[in-house]
Amino acid sequence: EEECRYLCEECCRVNAEPTEIEKPGLLRLPTIAAAERAAVRNTPCAEPLPANIDELLQKILARVVRSIDEQIPSIADQLFRGESLAQLLGDNQLKYSSREPAINIYTSGGEFLAHKDAQALTVLLPLSCPDRDFEGGGTAFWSQDSRGHRVEEPSIVLKPPAGTAMLFGGCVTHAGVPVGTGTRVVFVSSFSSAKDDKPVAIEEHRDIYGDSV
């Protein structure tokens, strides 16, 4: 928890402006490598995180993937063709969603609309504590048999303690629930193996409006 609190405080001190593609109340701060990849693609991007925070986040991500390898080996078997996530990370053989890894900072009214990440795996690590640091918020998930996020409430909304990683696949519809008060800070990294051209076969599920969910 001490590490999470330090990251929250340092990230909230970063003097960065949200891009035009962010909704009010959300600031996405990319790692240095994520910002460099965004620049190559001409994707609007905030200034990257400071080098010391970037280095700490890389260490945290390395710890997370090592734990996945050791405690949930089925993830590597089913989503990464049996290859160690720690090895892929160490060999720079992971490819990430746009502007990720990143820190998302949500303030009052801040949200992330329902979507799918379309990567093999997403690691979402809360750095702030629900109820103490913010009210509202959380991550909403819709089940695969849902009629769609425009017509059904989420199947579940999770607000785990700081430092408790949530793991889910790229076919899962999810959203950042609007924050009522305070500041919610999360570390997010969605990735696939760079060796795999088509890491996730997303089955199309449509709601009654025809939207992909």
Side-chain angles (χ1 to χ4, degrees):
E1 185 175 341
E2 183 177 335
E3 191 174 56
C4 292
R5 180 174 286 277
Y6 169 76
L7 283 168
C8 281
E9 292 174 352
E10 291 300 308
C11 290
C12 289
R13 288 194 185 104
V14 173
N15 185 19
E17 294 294 327
T19 68
E20 63 269 23
I21 59 178
E22 257 82 65
K23 290 186 174 295
L26 170 62
L27 173 62
R28 169 168 281 202
L29 300 174
T31 60
I32 294 170
E36 291 172 348
R37 290 190 293 269
V40 170
R41 300 185 180 96
N42 293 317
T43 301
C45 190
E47 290 295 314
L49 290 157
N52 62 318
I53 300 302
D54 183 281
E55 182 179 0
L56 179 54
L57 291 176
Q58 294 303 319
K59 290 178 179 178
I60 289 172
L61 184 57
R63 293 204 307 261
V64 171
V65 297
R66 282 199 304 270
S67 294
I68 293 171
D69 283 343
E70 294 168 2
Q71 299 178 29
I72 323 175
S74 59
I75 287 181
D77 291 340
Q78 296 179 21
L79 300 178
F80 294 88
R81 302 186 187 278
E83 296 198 62
S84 159
L85 274 69
Q87 188 69 49
L88 289 169
L89 178 65
D91 292 343
N92 197 28
Q93 289 297 306
L94 292 178
K95 56 184 177 183
Y96 301 88
S97 290
S98 179
R99 302 180 299 155
E100 291 185 15
I103 294 286
N104 286 352
I105 301 176
Y106 298 88
T107 51
S108 181
E111 64 179 321
F112 209 119
L113 298 181
H115 63 287
K116 294 179 179 179
D117 291 329
Q119 298 288 353
L121 185 69
T122 292
V123 174
L124 187 61
L125 181 68
L127 301 177
S128 51
C129 292
D131 299 326
R132 186 190 70 190
D133 297 324
F134 65 92
E135 293 184 356
T139 305
F141 294 91
W142 282 261
S143 65
Q144 291 288 358
D145 58 359
S146 166
R147 290 183 300 149
H149 57 269
R150 292 180 62 178
V151 293
E152 284 191 11
E153 292 296 312
S155 305
I156 192 170
V157 176
L158 298 181
K159 293 198 289 184
T164 304
M166 292 180 281
L167 310 175
F168 50 92
C171 297
V172 178
T173 302
H174 60 287
V177 177
V179 168
T181 59
T183 302
R184 178 181 180 231
V185 183
V186 299
F187 174 47
V188 59
S189 184
S190 305
F191 53 83
S192 302
S193 171
K195 302 176 183 180
D196 202 339
D197 291 335
K198 295 182 179 179
V200 180
I202 294 184
E203 181 182 353
E204 286 291 334
H205 294 274
R206 300 276 174 176
D207 64 19
I208 63 172
Y209 295 97
D211 290 345
S212 180
V213 298

